[in-house]
Amino acid sequence: MAFLYDTLLQEFGKREIARTEVPNYIVDNLKYGIRAYQTESFQRYILCHNEDFDGKPNKPFHLLYNMATGSGKTLVMAGLMLYLYEKGYRNFLFFVNSNNIINKTKDNFLNPHASKYLFSKKIVIDGKEVVIKGVDNFEEADEQNINVNFTTIQQLHLDLNNTKENSVTYEDFKNKKIVLIADEAHHLSSATRNSGDLFGSWEGTVTEILKQNFANILLEFSATLDYESREISDKYQDKVIHKYDLAQFRIDKYSKEINLIRSLYDEQERVIQALILNLYRQELATSKGINLKPVILFKAKQTIKESEQNKLNFHKLIDDFSAEMVENIKKTSTVSIVQKAFAFFESKNLSANEIAKRTKSNFKEENCISANNDKEAELNQIRLNTLEDENNPIRAVFAVQKLNEGWDVLNLFDIVRLYEGRDGRAGTPGKTTLSEAQLIGRGARYFPFTIAEGQDQYTRKYDDDTSNDLKILEELYYHTKEDSRYISELKKALVESGIYEDEDKLETKQLTLKLDFKKTDFYKTGKVIYNKKVEKSYNNVKSFTDLGVSKRNFDFMLSSGIGQMSGVFAKEEKETKTEKIEQKDIFVSEIQKHIIRYALAQNPFFYFDSLERYFPNVESVSNFIESKDYLGGLEIIFNGSKTRLANISNFDYLLAVQGLLQTIESEIKSNLTEYEGSGYINKYIHEVFKNKEIKVYKDSLRADGQFDIVSEPQWYVYNANFGTIEEKAFVKMFARRFEYLEQSFENIYLIRNEREIKIIDKLGRAFEPDFVLFCKQKKGKELTYQVFIEPKGDYLKPHDKWKEDFLKEIREKKMTVKIDSDKYLITGVPFYNNENENEFKETLESTLNE
């Protein structure tokens, strides 16, 4: 039997899931943008909630989201709350196994001033403002708002089995339909794992709550699900609605990369080395205009006493910190990134004395925090969960186990293991090593930054540019003593978690421009043309039509008492004479202005600051109401009996206008995009295409540089092609066709685009074509063609169809760009695939003859 996440794929298919609309009231009421995998989380739930299919879970719903640490599970929780509110749910019970996580989550859900608050300033659903309220029990709940009871599973278990005043009781769950939200839900399966007897267990308590009401829903969230356990697998087979694990999270570039810094240094020297790298990150970021305060975690093995001693030792080290200590690391460390740090310091004229001085200032005692026992964790909770905030001074955290779960931190870049030894056996990681891997996974959350317009601040940018200085801002370093058996076990635990790529399986390849190419005039003075991602401009919007709003009239049914009664088992119904439903068209401009203004005031999308953004040519709210280009040009068709149509009230008009506005909002939002592609810009070839280092798997197809094809020809500008099998097939085909092209063209150069340039479509989507072909006509207009080319395997073509459509669009436009005395024709061709090679050749050659 398949897991539910696979059942949904089998029943609906990837395309149908992707086509499922996520309501605007989810997107608009969340503070943060929704990533693709979070959108899929909503789409999967919406299908599961609304559609019937084979394998659909029985009611009461019990579902689990298996989502990676750092992937934004709480944002998905918040979005599902909004969705279920609209479906009639008002009461939500959030529980987890830790007070620290409860307090942090309360802040994120209830405190609009918190830096990680999840919702928009004002939550509006169906034209009404909704408040997120914290309640101690559901007797305090109201029917207009979202009521959330936050508790720990331990406290919930005690309250339900030892009833006391104001606590939650089983009765609360019988008469009200409740949504239960369980975070770190793997803690709820100990009874299933150990005995299968749920009686008296936390797991049993939650199951009993769920069964109290057929309409109840249990949504569990966990980054950790033991699929190897038969008992756990059986329990969750029909419940795991979405699996987005740490491995996929890393592949999608939302995490830092992990590097193990191991040495024979003693404990103090390991600490000093980490401090030097910490300062390097800070100074490098500052030099690039990035505001970064990197944090170090110092990890003790088992006891709070050990951690406290580590903290005391650290304060003494900082008090005694000197230029001699810095020089010692400079002279003795053979770690390449450490030597790179010292080279950077020299380039900025930072002496050993200045390095010591800045380090002492950064890590003075008040900038260090302990997170060991419950009392301290609660007192320091705000600072621990807001480490990225500018006004948070913390630079060092000392811990044992307390931060292995529920800790959200983006600017942790170094973890220093302040102990030695291992607890693994026969190459299998022990309990301590597994907890270390879990902690590393929490620290691997990506620190968002950009240095160029159009970059995605939330994903890694330098995977294919390993020599780039800024790559260190995308890496987490784990500092440990050199111990081959321990390192092997730690690597195994990290690889199994999905957050780590074993460096021993990779090799670095040098991609260099050929010297002959660098001597050419084209390299020195030629240009490459592309565009960039810019904020969408609405300056040309002068009517609803310009944003995709159709001119059709809006239908509104007036409420009435028209109806009839019929017997369930009656064979024939006697027709009851009822009033005929008629229609009446009324222009919006005929409705009293104060009614329209009130309706506009109830919908945040039509607040004036929003109107100014999307309709910059609207002069005022009055103009928006009266102009025939906007509301004044629309009609509402009222449907009702003759009597009702003769007695349309102001309230009827209000409801009708609110419905019209919601329809307009929905149509506009379906056509909106935050970004778009700019007009074409250009740069010198020699400024864009440079030598690079890339990493590939050893002995893989990509590790073959295709030297037999590309080493000699002048038309291929790099020394090698470490591309995919399709990319290599394309280059092979191009080599065979070169002589044909040479008859009509000169200065023919095929350049592999190793993420140097992007082209952006009208929806703001970025595309990095694998190759850019340049060739100049020998006769005629002497145009230089710049052709974007993308080889693509069959399995990827449906997913990337928009890219092929974009290439076709570029080709159809036939845009010519004049730069000084040169003319460039910018064009593209459909995807190359080995199976359609002949068709591709014909298209390429016809494109070059246009």
Side-chain angles (χ1 to χ4, degrees), residues 301-412:
K301 184 175 185 179
Q302 287 182 324
T303 68
I304 293 171
K305 185 177 179 181
E306 289 171 348
S307 186
E308 294 308 300
Q309 187 59 53
N310 289 339
K311 191 168 183 288
L312 291 173
N313 295 344
F314 181 76
H315 294 322
K316 186 175 187 311
L317 170 64
I318 293 300
D319 288 342
D320 298 338
F321 204 69
S322 65
E324 288 74 24
M325 293 176 177
V326 175
E327 289 290 354
N328 176 56
I329 299 298
K330 182 178 180 181
K331 291 174 184 175
T332 58
S333 177
T334 60
V335 178
S336 59
I337 193 63
V338 177
Q339 292 306 317
K340 194 171 187 178
F342 281 112
F344 173 82
F345 292 145
E346 286 181 17
S347 72
K348 300 296 181 182
N349 297 315
L350 287 178
S351 65
N353 276 324
E354 185 61 26
I355 292 168
K357 180 181 173 183
R358 294 187 184 190
T359 301
K360 285 168 75 76
S361 175
N362 287 341
F363 291 91
K364 50 194 175 187
E365 189 167 350
E366 57 265 37
N367 293 349
C368 303
I369 194 171
S370 175
N372 289 312
N373 59 45
D374 285 332
K375 184 179 178 183
E376 284 186 337
E378 287 189 37
L379 287 172
N380 294 321
Q381 169 192 321
I382 294 174
R383 288 192 292 174
L384 281 169
N385 285 310
T386 58
L387 286 171
E388 305 91 357
D389 289 3
E390 288 184 32
N391 59 355
N392 186 324
I394 299 302
R395 300 297 300 266
V397 179
F398 293 82
V400 185
Q401 297 287 350
K402 216 52 181 157
L403 299 174
N404 284 11
E405 282 188 351
W407 189 33
D408 298 314
V409 59
L410 306 178
N411 58 332
L412 176 67

Side-chain angles (χ1 to χ4, degrees), residues 259-504:
N259 279 318
L260 305 179
I261 306 287
R262 64 239 203 211
S263 68
L264 295 174
Y265 278 150
D266 62 24
E267 184 178 294
Q268 179 171 292
E269 289 169 321
R270 288 206 301 275
V271 171
I272 295 170
Q273 185 166 255
L275 290 170
I276 287 166
L277 290 174
N278 178 277
L279 184 65
Y280 173 43
R281 280 193 179 91
Q282 177 186 308
E283 297 297 330
L284 175 64
T286 300
S287 72
K288 301 293 185 180
I290 301 166
N291 186 12
L292 171 63
K293 181 203 64 180
V295 171
I296 304 178
L297 173 67
F298 295 99
K299 174 81 167 63
K301 184 175 185 179
Q302 287 182 324
T303 68
I304 293 171
K305 185 177 179 181
E306 289 171 348
S307 186
E308 294 308 300
Q309 187 59 53
N310 289 339
K311 191 168 183 288
L312 291 173
N313 295 344
F314 181 76
H315 294 322
K316 186 175 187 311
L317 170 64
I318 293 300
D319 288 342
D320 298 338
F321 204 69
S322 65
E324 288 74 24
M325 293 176 177
V326 175
E327 289 290 354
N328 176 56
I329 299 298
K330 182 178 180 181
K331 291 174 184 175
T332 58
S333 177
T334 60
V335 178
S336 59
I337 193 63
V338 177
Q339 292 306 317
K340 194 171 187 178
F342 281 112
F344 173 82
F345 292 145
E346 286 181 17
S347 72
K348 300 296 181 182
N349 297 315
L350 287 178
S351 65
N353 276 324
E354 185 61 26
I355 292 168
K357 180 181 173 183
R358 294 187 184 190
T359 301
K360 285 168 75 76
S361 175
N362 287 341
F363 291 91
K364 50 194 175 187
E365 189 167 350
E366 57 265 37
N367 293 349
C368 303
I369 194 171
S370 175
N372 289 312
N373 59 45
D374 285 332
K375 184 179 178 183
E376 284 186 337
E378 287 189 37
L379 287 172
N380 294 321
Q381 169 192 321
I382 294 174
R383 288 192 292 174
L384 281 169
N385 285 310
T386 58
L387 286 171
E388 305 91 357
D389 289 3
E390 288 184 32
N391 59 355
N392 186 324
I394 299 302
R395 300 297 300 266
V397 179
F398 293 82
V400 185
Q401 297 287 350
K402 216 52 181 157
L403 299 174
N404 284 11
E405 282 188 351
W407 189 33
D408 298 314
V409 59
L410 306 178
N411 58 332
L412 176 67
F413 286 93
D414 295 275
I415 299 174
V416 184
R417 186 182 193 245
L418 294 178
Y419 51 93
E420 298 174 20
R422 47 183 280 276
D423 62 352
R425 291 186 179 181
T428 301
K431 186 177 179 181
T432 302
T433 306
L434 290 171
S435 73
E436 291 166 352
Q438 185 182 8
L439 177 62
I440 291 169
R442 298 209 74 83
R445 298 182 181 201
Y446 189 78
F447 179 81
F449 71 92
T450 59
I451 60 162
E453 197 172 6
Q455 282 185 332
D456 183 348
Q457 64 175 325
Y458 298 107
T459 56
R460 296 192 307 274
K461 303 155 188 64
Y462 304 108
D463 285 11
D464 299 321
D465 189 5
T466 57
S467 60
N468 195 299
D469 290 345
L470 289 171
K471 188 161 175 57
I472 193 174
L473 302 187
E474 301 186 332
E475 297 173 326
L476 171 72
Y477 293 165
Y478 187 74
H479 302 256
T480 182
K481 185 88 168 180
E482 179 65 83
D483 178 338
S484 59
R485 287 192 297 173
Y486 165 71
I487 294 298
S488 175
E489 290 162 5
L490 179 62
K491 281 184 176 181
K492 185 174 182 180
L494 289 169
V495 168
E496 287 177 356
S497 76
I499 195 62
Y500 181 68
E501 190 77 71
D502 191 347
E503 289 287 316
D504 293 339

